[in-house]
Amino acid sequence: QVQLVESGGGLVQAGGSLRLSCAASGSIFSINAMGWYRQAPGKQRELVATITSAGTTNYSDSVKGRFTISRDNAKNTVHLQMNVLKPEDTAVYYCNYNARLTAWGRIYEYWGQGTQVTVSS
């Protein structure tokens, strides 16, 4: 069974930085897209950034230029470097994988349990 575990969240002042990481446990054949999403209180979960297996990245307009997503395919991990954090970045951040468990199997979607990021003004 595949599980994703996030780390790196916490409390930071506005203008500061945090680095989130997500690691997968379990047997994975390959991972297509990896991504980070976030959900603030009272709001819907929204896309933050994604990265394909080829390294193509996509960012929401609200974080473009401040956040950087990266992946380590050998370790099945994805990272989110967050700089110049703003109070509006406060949310629970979730990692997301689209992965195959076997060479010819279907693609499954996995979510981490979430890590809290709080940015104080």
Side-chain angles (χ1 to χ4, degrees), residues 89-108:
D89 294 319
T90 295
V92 177
Y93 284 70
Y94 299 89
C95 62
N96 171 272
Y97 285 17
N98 289 281
R100 295 183 191 273
L101 304 185
T102 60
W104 305 109
R106 55 164 285 190
I107 295 174
Y108 291 90

Side-chain angles (χ1 to χ4, degrees), residues 28-74:
I28 296 175
F29 176 77
S30 66
I31 302 173
N32 293 359
M34 295 176 166
W36 288 95
Y37 293 73
R38 67 186 181 187
Q39 187 166 18
K43 295 187 177 181
Q44 289 189 333
R45 190 172 298 187
E46 64 175 1
L47 169 73
V48 176
T50 60
I51 184 167
T52 69
S53 57
T56 301
T57 58
N58 179 56
Y59 297 92
S60 70
D61 288 342
S62 62
V63 307
K64 202 171 293 184
R66 299 187 296 122
F67 291 11
T68 302
I69 188 170
S70 61
R71 61 189 284 170
D72 184 334
N73 291 326

